[in-house]
Amino acid sequence: MTPPVLLSPFKVRDLTLKNRIVVSPMCQYSAIDGVAGDWHLVHLGRFALGGAALVFVEATGVEARGRISPGDMGIWNDDQARALARIAEFLKANGAAAGIQLAHAGRKGSTRRPWDGGGELNGEDAVKGEPAWETLAPSAIAFAQSYPTPRAMSITDMGDVIVAFRQAARRADAAGFDVVEIHAAHGYLLHEFLSPLSNHRTDQYGGDREGRMRFPLEVVETVRAVWPARKPLFMRVSSTDYVDGGVTIEDTVAFASSAKALGVDVIDCSSGGNTPTPPALYPGYQVPYAQAVREQAGVATMAVGLILDATLANYIVTQGKADLVALGRPALEDPNFAIHASATLTGAPDYGLAPTPAKSGLDRLAQSLRHMTSA
């Protein structure tokens, strides 16, 4: 019997994913000096045990000033890369491909962790050993009143960030990751360049759409140049700013087309994040953007955003609205989403999606339940 599309393989470059279910990058704000610990291994490892095809490490800073908070993951030094290699090895040993999202927070950096109230780091934080740092952006415009005002980047600053992305991609390859995703969404640095709301530059990196795309595309080009040709390159975008005068889906299609020409294989279609006002939320609210980019830019896409159940996820890929679906909080709520999806879509859970130790226990559970039912 032909499996549901959600449970069918997907090949991109030399990587074949066993199904279309991806675990999205989710910030944990729990690294120490950018180094992953046991929390991250357990948090991410459970998704491999639950049958997801590709598991992404959270937004990982390519330099220290590119962090959102002091607890962010980093990959700007070898100690950080070694800790990440442990995670990549575990994911791959247990049936999932390992992905990492390379990021720079731009003007949304130097902030407290969400559970500490968010907002700009201050003197109290410095006393605790977490001092504020200078943030960078295309223009000296703060994200919100409670955020630091960034310094407008010089051409030298931009060159430094390009080098940081290039070095991060090299470390990600050496650490064993199968996929790199460039973070160009959610109001962080690359999105800030793309959006007229945050990019008021008058040089070649501002102004019209072509100028605003220039720096993010230079980052894509440098990452693709050092990321092995056999390995896929993803990119997350904010498809719209939801604000007049901001990024539109037409802008995103043009950006995706240019990124594809430089070697990006999959566009991860999110939205918003460059203004403090959130969009209206409903299940699958960002799927139309993934469909528009897929059809108009001719590139594979990943849909993300409140994809809450297997039926919706399968509908998205069956109808050609996206090639992959990414789960964030739904995966937190159900790390075995892929196994449960197989039960929903085929009538029987596929425990073969789990590695052998987990599969053995799940098989015994199923046997026990059958005996209970027949007794």
Side-chain angles (χ1 to χ4, degrees):
M1 185 175 67
T2 302
V5 176
L6 183 67
L7 303 178
S8 68
F10 179 73
K11 189 175 189 299
V12 53
R13 296 201 181 231
D14 287 357
L15 178 67
T16 298
L17 301 177
K18 64 185 179 183
N19 57 53
R20 310 298 182 95
I21 299 168
V22 178
V23 175
S24 199
M26 290 180 277
C27 288
Q28 299 297 293
Y29 306 103
S30 299
I32 298 174
D33 295 327
V35 177
D38 289 346
W39 170 265
H40 303 90
L41 177 66
V42 174
H43 159 68
L44 295 163
R46 59 184 175 160
F47 303 125
L49 303 185
L54 170 60
V55 179
F56 272 105
V57 173
E58 66 194 73
T60 303
V62 298
E63 61 174 9
R65 62 184 173 178
R67 295 169 295 163
I68 304 166
S69 82
D72 280 28
M73 193 89 80
I75 192 169
W76 65 83
N77 66 45
D78 292 341
D79 288 342
Q80 296 162 347
R82 279 190 289 270
L84 287 164
R86 178 185 179 216
I87 292 171
E89 181 181 18
F90 184 90
L91 294 174
K92 295 196 295 183
N94 289 283
I100 185 169
Q101 186 184 67
L102 302 182
H104 195 298
R107 67 178 183 167
K108 292 178 78 173
S110 192
T111 60
R112 292 175 161 181
R113 298 169 184 81
W115 52 80
D116 291 330
E120 185 175 0
L121 291 167
N122 58 32
E124 293 180 6
D125 300 297
V127 170
K128 295 187 294 184
E130 296 184 342
W133 58 87
E134 181 183 55
T135 58
L136 301 175
S139 304
I141 304 168
F143 172 69
Q145 188 173 0
S146 59
Y147 280 70
T149 299
R151 175 168 61 82
M153 294 175 73
S154 67
I155 300 300
T156 298
D157 292 325
M158 295 162 66
D160 291 343
V161 170
I162 286 173
V163 170
F165 269 97
R166 183 164 64 242
Q167 292 298 96
R170 284 176 171 150
R171 285 193 172 98
D173 178 39
F177 285 96
D178 301 301
V179 178
V180 151
E181 178 172 88
I182 297 172
H183 200 346
H186 300 168
Y188 300 125
L189 183 64
L190 301 187
H191 182 189
E192 292 163 19
F193 270 89
L194 292 166
S195 175
L197 303 177
S198 45
N199 185 346
H200 293 186
R201 299 179 74 95
T202 57
D203 63 3
Q204 68 268 37
Y205 293 99
D208 61 11
R209 179 194 288 164
E210 182 179 357
R212 289 181 280 110
M213 292 192 322
R214 192 181 309 277
F215 178 63
L217 290 175
E218 287 178 356
V219 170
V220 169
E221 189 171 25
T222 198
V223 170
R224 184 73 269 182
V226 300
W227 187 241
R230 71 182 187 281
K231 293 187 177 184
L233 179 61
F234 287 32
M235 182 169 66
R236 175 165 280 194
V237 298
S238 277
S239 306
T240 175
D241 279 334
Y242 297 107
V243 174
D244 289 342
V247 168
T248 66
I249 186 60
E250 291 77 18
D251 293 328
T252 298
V253 168
F255 181 49
S257 296
S258 296
K260 178 191 175 187
L262 292 175
V264 170
D265 302 292
V266 177
I267 303 294
D268 179 1
C269 295
S270 189
S271 64
N274 205 27
T275 67
T277 304
L281 302 178
Y282 54 87
Y285 70 103
Q286 294 172 147
V287 172
Y289 305 129
Q291 182 176 4
V293 170
R294 187 176 190 264
E295 293 175 354
Q296 296 174 40
V299 63
T301 60
M302 184 158 68
V304 62
L306 293 182
I307 300 172
L308 300 177
D309 58 66
T311 301
L312 175 58
N314 190 55
Y315 171 80
I316 291 166
V317 293
T318 300
Q319 296 299 313
K321 297 178 183 296
D323 300 276
L324 301 166
V325 293
L327 312 172
R329 279 162 284 193
L332 286 177
E333 196 276 331
D334 182 9
N336 291 336
F337 186 97
I339 294 171
H340 295 151
S342 67
T344 298
L345 299 174
T346 70
D350 181 3
Y351 295 141
L353 290 169
T356 300
K359 176 183 181 299
S360 176
L362 291 168
D363 281 338
R364 288 197 297 273
L365 173 62
Q367 292 169 8
S368 298
L369 292 174
R370 286 195 295 269
H371 286 312
M372 288 172 59
T373 303
S374 61

